[in-house]
Amino acid sequence: MADNALEKSRKRRHCCPDLPAKRRLIDPSQSSQRRLVLYTPSSELLRCLGLFLRRRCYKLDLSPTQVIGWLKNIDNYLLIMGYQPVSFLSSGSVVFLYMLCRDLISPEADTVEQLQVSLLTCYFITHCYTGNENGYPETPFLLGSRKAFWDRCLSYISIMSSKMMQINSNRQIYSETLAELKAVGR
């Protein structure tokens, strides 16, 4: 039966070459090779991110739920204040945030506040880059001086700009980063 459908698809393509690719039948043997898993519940990914940061910052007495709490508090603040219509903590935003944290947060963090400052800067950049609003207030993300916050933002963006572009434009990179994050949670 699959051979019959494939044959019909070939005939349709020859008689209607302008038929959109979505409407053409795809050879199942080819599509399984290119299929990427692109979704995991955000709650699971947040747990994985919390575990990653606990392991990364091994000097600190840190629980994964503490990290999740920091992010959810900001998310709730932005919802309540009307800066976003729905929760920002989706699978895509957590994967993007993980990519930033993986490359920017030092395992040598000596204090929980030092980790929190870096994490919230990464979270702010994630909001600005992948969020659906034109601008977000810095206040909920800000710990310490405003100047230090913006210097950190510019530094992080300078370091990560090419990777930020790649993860948004290349499904393979997104999929690999997602798989890496999920592996942390195992």
Side-chain angles (χ1 to χ4, degrees):
M1 183 159 180
D3 291 336
N4 191 17
L6 188 59
E7 186 58 35
K8 285 182 182 177
S9 171
R10 286 187 187 129
K11 286 179 183 176
R12 196 177 307 130
R13 244 182 284 142
H14 290 296
C15 73
C16 308
D18 58 340
L19 188 64
K22 284 184 177 179
R23 299 218 17 233
R24 290 188 204 139
L25 293 175
I26 298 172
D27 181 358
S29 64
Q30 291 177 352
S31 67
S32 65
Q33 294 169 357
R34 292 184 286 170
R35 192 172 297 152
L36 302 173
V37 177
L38 298 175
Y39 179 78
T40 302
S42 59
S43 57
E44 181 183 336
L45 294 178
L46 280 170
R47 183 185 62 77
C48 294
L49 178 63
L51 288 169
F52 164 77
L53 289 170
R54 185 183 76 189
R55 291 176 188 148
R56 166 66 57 100
C57 301
Y58 61 92
K59 294 179 181 180
L60 304 178
D61 182 23
L62 183 72
S63 80
T65 55
Q66 191 176 7
V67 171
I68 294 167
W70 297 336
L71 301 175
K72 285 189 172 186
N73 283 342
I74 292 173
D75 194 54
N76 288 333
Y77 173 85
L78 294 173
L79 280 167
I80 290 167
M81 298 307 287
Y83 286 102
Q84 57 191 27
V86 296
S87 175
F88 178 75
L89 292 169
S90 66
S91 298
S93 64
V94 176
V95 170
F96 190 92
L97 176 59
Y98 165 73
M99 178 195 69
L100 295 178
C101 291
R102 177 193 64 199
D103 291 1
L104 296 170
I105 292 183
S106 170
E108 300 303 317
D110 291 326
T111 66
V112 171
E113 185 181 56
Q114 196 177 20
L115 165 64
Q116 192 177 17
V117 162
S118 291
L119 174 64
L120 296 186
T121 304
C122 291
Y123 194 38
F124 180 77
I125 293 167
T126 301
H127 268 79
C128 292
Y129 194 80
T130 65
N132 59 0
E133 296 299 320
N134 289 333
Y136 290 91
E138 68 189 17
T139 309
F141 303 90
L142 190 61
L143 291 174
S145 89
R146 179 171 272 122
K147 181 181 179 346
F149 173 78
W150 287 109
D151 288 346
R152 223 176 10 265
C153 282
L154 293 174
S155 172
Y156 286 7
I157 291 167
S158 176
I159 293 166
M160 296 299 294
S161 108
S162 66
K163 286 186 178 183
M164 291 180 347
M165 296 290 285
Q166 288 174 343
I167 199 168
N168 264 356
S169 64
N170 187 325
R171 293 183 115 195
Q172 183 66 36
I173 291 172
Y174 175 86
S175 184
E176 289 168 2
T177 307
L178 171 62
E180 184 181 317
L181 176 57
K182 287 171 62 175
V184 169
R186 289 189 188 122

